[in-house]
Amino acid sequence: MQEKLLTLKETALNDIREVSSIEEVENLRINYLGKKGEITSILKEMGKLSKEERPVIGKVANEVREALEEAISSKKDELKTIEKNKKLKEEVIDVTMPSKKIRVGKLHPISQIIDEVSEIFIGMGFSIAEGPEVETVENNFDALNAPKDHPSRDMSDTFYVNSELLLRTQTSPVQIRTMKNNELPIKIISPGRCFRFDAPDATHSPMFHQIEGLVVGKDITMAQLKGTLNTFVKKLFGENTKTKFRPHNFPFTEPSAEVDVTCFKCEGKGCSMCKGEGWIEILGAGMVHPNVLRNCGIDPNVYSGFAFGMGVDRITMLKYEIDDIRLLFENNMRFLEQF
Ligand code: DAH
């Protein structure tokens, strides 16, 4: 029996040495050491042995088992290392290969100006209000005190969806929504897209951007409107910028004004940017008309307000010296990347 065990050991060690995959090693382990394996079947015959022989054979059997176990585990380790090295070799990274270029985007110049203007007003305690681009005729014209025969209502000036809905022609309807839905006092700006039935040329685009401003409360005055806008233009165009209020007419404000700023390129001397005027028009403003307050359920005898609206595209073009509004909407990356 001892003989049998020793021969088994030799054959098994040989077999283990020969194999080249972990799976094969595992099969050998089951064959030799498993419950139904060869060592077990030899040991089953131990009963036939004499009392003196049993411990001797038992010892040999244990030694053989240990030898095989060790051989199997070191073979497994060896194969694992080989596999790992192979994998490392296959997955080696060629750091000299050219990489894929990732294009990093940036904010559109219009978004940059909207952010910049918003930051300035947020700094003065304003919050941001938003309204839909498809508006009611009521909010865009009627509640804003626009007379029934106002030219801007014409089909040739406004994109109508139907008789009650249109693409808003200005951000001013956000004033109506804000006054109808909020407690007083109100202090908001509202940036957004507007639409007018205009043929595109260097200064017109059927889609453009405005920022509306509205302050309503007790004792709101024209002096506060002037102070607010003076602070704003100094922050946006520079400390030396001055404003000039020219009388104008808007249906939703009384009195109304158009506001010019001193040209930030020549500081008022006159240059090509301001067409020799020294002044550049940038927004409309005024004291909220009592009818507009009344339309929103606010008593004009107790409350007052000021409002303003500016063209974002125009300010962007002035700031970056862009001479054609269409360039802003053609999405030519080579153009947009400059800003
Ligand atoms: N909504 C006017 C426009 O599109 C701009 C404007 C002027 C807005 C005066 C105002 C304002 O709030 O008070 O031309």
Side-chain angles (χ1 to χ4, degrees):
M1 211 166 169
Q2 186 167 354
E3 206 49 21
K4 238 180 166 178
L5 280 166
L6 292 175
T7 324
L8 177 82
K9 179 179 161 190
E10 281 317 304
T11 346
L13 288 179
N14 254 337
D15 286 353
I16 294 167
R17 219 171 292 132
E18 304 279 290
V19 295
S20 55
S21 77
I22 291 188
E23 204 186 343
E24 284 172 301
V25 185
E26 182 56 18
N27 284 339
L28 287 180
R29 192 189 63 76
I30 295 167
N31 265 348
Y32 288 111
L33 300 173
K35 265 188 196 154
K36 290 176 185 161
E38 298 201 21
I39 291 190
T40 319
S41 64
I42 293 174
L43 291 180
K44 272 186 189 151
E45 288 166 29
M46 289 270 275
K48 293 176 192 162
L49 299 174
S50 69
K51 256 190 193 164
E52 294 75 29
E53 276 176 318
R54 247 179 251 164
V56 182
I57 296 298
K59 199 171 161 223
V60 175
N62 274 339
E63 278 167 10
V64 172
R65 183 201 300 277
E66 271 165 30
L68 296 192
E69 275 171 357
E70 199 185 312
I72 284 171
S73 111
S74 62
K75 186 71 183 184
K76 273 189 181 166
D77 287 348
E78 184 191 318
L79 291 173
K80 270 186 201 159
T81 316
I82 291 174
E83 213 161 89
K84 194 167 110 191
N85 287 339
K86 200 175 138 209
K87 231 179 169 178
L88 282 175
K89 223 175 191 170
E90 280 169 3
E91 289 175 8
V92 90
I93 295 170
D94 180 0
V95 291
T96 64
M97 287 233 305
S99 65
K100 279 191 199 143
K101 276 231 166 76
I102 299 172
R103 289 190 82 153
V104 180
K106 61 188 297 196
L107 287 181
H108 191 281
I110 290 203
S111 302
Q112 291 181 41
I113 294 290
I114 288 179
D115 284 357
E116 202 177 326
V117 171
S118 300
E119 280 300 315
I120 296 171
F121 281 103
I122 286 169
M124 290 193 270
F126 284 69
S127 45
I128 311 276
E130 286 191 323
E133 288 166 13
V134 177
E135 252 302 357
T136 59
V137 173
E138 163 73 21
N139 286 343
N140 194 85
F141 290 127
D142 299 331
L144 282 167
N145 200 38
K148 285 283 179 216
D149 58 354
H150 197 275
S152 63
R153 288 185 184 248
D154 203 281
M155 291 273 283
S156 61
D157 286 306
T158 299
F159 292 107
Y160 283 90
V161 176
N162 54 39
S163 59
E164 274 136 46
L165 292 176
L166 43 68
L167 299 189
R168 67 177 177 189
T169 61
Q170 48 189 354
T171 44
S172 305
V174 183
Q175 289 189 28
I176 303 300
R177 290 176 175 269
T178 309
M179 284 190 274
K180 280 190 171 166
N181 299 319
N182 291 279
E183 303 280 310
L184 297 174
I186 285 165
K187 206 172 170 190
I188 56 115
I189 57 159
S190 183
R193 226 169 258 142
C194 306
F195 306 85
R196 282 181 203 176
F197 211 137
D198 278 330
D201 63 23
T203 52
H204 293 87
S205 163
M207 188 276 295
F208 58 99
H209 300 77
Q210 288 190 339
I211 298 179
E212 193 76 14
L214 174 70
V215 175
V216 185
K218 279 186 179 153
D219 306 318
I220 301 297
T221 66
M222 186 106 182
Q224 292 167 351
L225 168 64
K226 284 187 150 187
T228 304
L229 292 180
N230 280 338
T231 307
F232 163 66
V233 299
K234 282 177 196 293
K235 289 232 153 89
L236 187 67
F237 296 116
E239 225 7 78
N240 296 327
T241 314
K242 292 184 184 64
T243 54
K244 178 165 77 179
F245 283 62
R246 282 182 290 104
H248 197 77
N249 174 53
F250 296 107
F252 32 84
T253 40
E254 183 58 39
S256 303
E258 274 189 330
V259 181
D260 300 345
V261 290
T262 40
C263 176
F264 45 85
K265 200 168 178 197
C266 65
E267 298 202 334
K269 289 181 207 76
C271 68
S272 62
M273 167 102 91
C274 55
K275 301 197 177 81
E277 299 274 321
W279 295 93
I280 297 175
E281 183 210 320
I282 60 152
L283 51 81
M287 299 307 292
V288 180
H289 197 291
N291 287 350
V292 174
L293 292 174
R294 233 174 266 125
N295 290 341
C296 299
I298 295 170
D299 184 350
N301 294 318
V302 183
Y303 298 98
S304 53
F306 66 71
F308 54 88
M310 65 188 91
V312 180
D313 317 79
R314 188 170 150 73
I315 291 176
T316 307
M317 288 167 73
L318 289 169
K319 252 208 125 155
Y320 293 127
E321 297 187 40
I322 298 168
D323 57 8
D324 192 324
I325 192 171
R326 291 169 293 194
L327 288 167
L328 289 170
F329 306 124
E330 281 169 356
N331 286 339
N332 179 338
M333 288 296 283
R334 281 172 58 218
F335 171 75
L336 293 174
E337 271 165 356
Q338 302 174 84
F339 308 104

